[in-house]
Amino acid sequence: EIETLDQKEMELHQSQLRLIREQTAIFIRDLATLQQEVATLKPILGQHASMADRMEYLERVLGDSADRHSHELHDAHGKLDQLHGRLSEQHSAGQEGEARHLSLARRVDMLEQSLSDATARHSRELQEAKTSH
């Protein structure tokens, strides 16, 4: 009986050892398959990471560009407001200058009329003086 028990124990150990070897072989094969899959996925994941980096770069560039354009637009509006103010001032000054010009033109007309009248009067007086002598 002891011999059969020893023999059965030996058979059990051999079966367990065979099962462990088989499971180890399956594990090694599955591990090799997984390693190949990981090696295949690494470049793809690297591309995705670089795609994420690229997207982040583009978002940053677009954000910077939008900020720069916003500042430039704000500056342009400020300059436009300044130009509008200057134009309004020039327009007002132009109207005042035009009014002065008109008053100057009237004054020149009046001076010309006075000169013409004075010339005519002097001519008459000179004529009268010639006729009376």
Side-chain angles (χ1 to χ4, degrees):
E1 228 175 87
I2 293 181
E3 279 183 29
T4 57
L5 281 177
D6 283 342
Q7 190 177 9
K8 285 187 180 185
E9 188 178 341
M10 192 79 132
E11 287 174 10
L12 182 64
H13 283 294
Q14 287 175 355
S15 293
Q16 286 176 341
L17 191 57
R18 189 175 38 250
L19 185 60
I20 289 173
R21 283 185 194 141
E22 287 173 8
Q23 288 178 346
T24 303
I26 291 170
F27 176 75
I28 290 171
R29 190 179 61 235
D30 289 346
L31 181 61
T33 303
L34 285 173
Q35 285 174 334
Q36 287 176 342
E37 288 177 9
V38 166
T40 303
L41 289 175
K42 270 186 178 181
I44 294 170
L45 290 176
Q47 286 178 346
H48 286 293
S50 66
M51 288 294 277
D53 291 342
R54 285 190 237 166
M55 287 299 292
E56 184 179 316
Y57 169 75
L58 288 174
E59 288 171 348
R60 187 175 57 247
V61 167
L62 287 175
D64 293 347
S65 178
D67 290 343
R68 187 178 70 246
H69 286 295
S70 175
H71 290 299
E72 289 174 359
L73 185 61
H74 183 268
D75 292 345
H77 278 285
K79 289 177 182 178
L80 185 61
D81 289 341
Q82 287 176 348
L83 288 174
H84 181 50
R86 287 183 194 165
L87 183 61
S88 294
E89 289 173 7
Q90 290 295 322
H91 182 69
S92 296
Q95 286 179 340
E96 289 173 8
E98 188 176 316
R100 274 190 309 226
H101 178 72
L102 287 177
S103 96
L104 182 62
R106 283 188 201 130
R107 287 169 41 197
V108 168
D109 286 344
M110 288 172 46
L111 284 173
E112 287 176 345
Q113 185 63 43
S114 285
L115 184 60
S116 176
D117 291 347
T119 305
R121 192 173 22 130
H122 284 289
S123 287
R124 265 186 315 211
E125 289 176 357
L126 185 60
Q127 203 59 327
E128 289 173 8
K130 281 183 185 179
T131 24
S132 59
H133 286 350

